[in-house]
Amino acid sequence: MTFAAAWTKTGDLIDKHNATGVDQRSSEMDSVVERAVTDAIRLIDDSAATGGQWKTVHKEEGMVVCRTELEVDGQVVDRSRTVCRVPGVTARDVALFFYSLEHKEKWDSSIDSISTLEQHGDATVVCHILHKRVWPTAQRDSCIASHVRELGDGRWIVVNESVDHTQASSPRSCVRATSSVALMAKTVLGADGSCHTEIQYLASVNPGGWAPASVVRALSAKEYPKVLRKLSEACREHAVVQRNRLRERGEHGRIELGTKHQGQLLSQAA
């Protein structure tokens, strides 16, 4: 499938027969991705420098969840920020594992099925997700553009932005959920040669349909740590499996993260 199937930011479908063709659609996607990356970096850097307007709403061992209110397109929306660390892996490992559709169901238990709609190079993909139904609510689906990027200084970022796509119509029984998510990962090297990755996870989710804001906030504060804990465990397990396989082949010091991202260096591999 090519970019002849049009997509853009939620609410602004492009006619797939538009004479400007593939280049315009690629440009539209680049615009969405760039805005998401810029906004995420600004929020993370501002909060690190000043604390911003973030309010701590949940704490547990190794996890802190904060929340703030932002104005987006004239509407006030909640944005959460969850901070944690993952020992024994690099930011690159975490970012590529989080980005990979191949591994997503290993740590995101809400997914019933996922399908790729568009691939833009190795760094951006558009996918349609059908989420598991949580009784007694209606089943949800979502369509997201996901992008991964190295920022330098040991930092990597992944952004997931809701989009509309001509090949991602919601099933009749489903309610379309929308979200804006960013994962910032930074490698930290210890004096003893060890390493860990610091994660900042930004999320703003609209489940669609009717859901009280207080309920969504309460669930988010509890669910985000669960998701990141599963992600951390799955990423570490995957790294161990890959290192063991490579040792058997005599290729020390490398880790592979799926068919599209092979040969990743793991800084503390034996």
Side-chain angles (χ1 to χ4, degrees):
M1 187 175 185
T2 68
F3 276 93
W7 80 281
T8 184
K9 185 69 177 177
T10 300
D12 295 315
L13 279 173
I14 298 175
D15 182 358
K16 66 180 178 181
H17 299 297
N18 193 307
T20 55
V22 173
D23 289 342
Q24 177 177 339
R25 286 178 280 282
S26 181
S27 177
E28 290 285 347
M29 181 170 64
D30 290 343
S31 177
V32 171
V33 165
E34 287 303 324
R35 183 168 72 171
V37 170
T38 299
D39 287 349
I41 293 174
R42 176 181 56 80
L43 281 172
I44 290 172
D45 287 349
D46 285 352
S47 65
T50 67
Q53 302 299 317
W54 296 96
K55 177 183 177 182
T56 299
V57 295
H58 181 79
K59 279 186 177 182
E60 56 184 79
E61 185 177 359
M63 295 271 184
V64 178
V65 183
C66 304
R67 185 174 64 240
T68 191
E69 291 184 346
L70 303 173
E71 184 173 322
V72 179
D73 298 329
Q75 294 184 328
V76 176
V77 297
D78 282 342
R79 176 67 63 92
S80 72
R81 178 168 62 97
T82 305
V83 181
C84 67
R85 63 169 55 188
V86 186
V89 293
T90 66
R92 189 175 189 177
D93 303 329
V94 173
L96 293 179
F97 191 84
F98 180 77
Y99 170 74
S100 172
L101 300 189
E102 178 182 349
H103 301 300
K104 199 171 288 290
E105 292 181 71
K106 295 178 182 178
W107 56 267
D108 189 344
S109 59
S110 76
I111 295 177
D112 190 30
S113 63
I114 185 168
S115 57
T116 300
L117 303 178
E118 299 277 0
Q119 185 77 44
H120 184 58
D122 288 335
T124 306
V125 63
V126 181
C127 61
H128 184 215
I129 302 174
L130 187 65
H131 300 276
K132 294 176 182 176
R133 185 186 177 213
V134 179
W135 189 90
T137 63
Q139 190 171 22
R140 261 64 178 175
D141 77 324
S142 60
C143 182
I144 64 170
S146 185
H147 173 78
V148 61
R149 180 181 302 182
E150 182 179 12
L151 298 175
D153 298 325
R155 297 197 302 174
W156 283 70
I157 192 170
V158 182
V159 293
N160 294 338
E161 285 291 308
S162 287
V163 295
D164 278 344
H165 193 284
T166 55
Q167 302 297 316
S169 299
S170 296
R172 181 174 300 179
S173 60
C174 281
V175 173
R176 175 59 57 91
T178 59
S179 62
S180 177
V181 171
L183 180 142
M184 176 82 79
K186 181 178 181 179
T187 302
V188 178
L189 300 177
D192 59 355
S194 65
C195 78
H196 70 267
T197 293
E198 294 180 348
I199 290 178
Q200 296 201 54
Y201 180 80
L202 301 176
S204 179
V205 178
N206 180 353
W210 183 85
S214 59
V215 173
V216 174
R217 289 171 177 170
L219 288 175
S220 298
K222 293 181 179 180
E223 287 302 315
Y224 293 147
K226 292 180 182 179
V227 169
L228 290 177
R229 192 174 297 108
K230 289 181 179 179
L231 171 68
S232 301
E233 293 173 356
C235 183
R236 293 180 66 194
E237 289 173 3
H238 182 77
V240 170
V241 170
Q242 293 300 317
R243 284 203 299 271
N244 289 339
R245 288 177 180 174
L246 292 170
R247 284 195 184 98
E248 292 175 0
R249 299 204 302 262
E251 300 177 31
H252 297 287
R254 289 183 177 272
I255 178 173
E256 298 174 344
L257 289 176
T259 57
K260 291 185 177 295
H261 301 288
Q262 296 186 356
Q264 303 301 323
L265 293 177
L266 185 64
S267 60
Q268 68 169 43

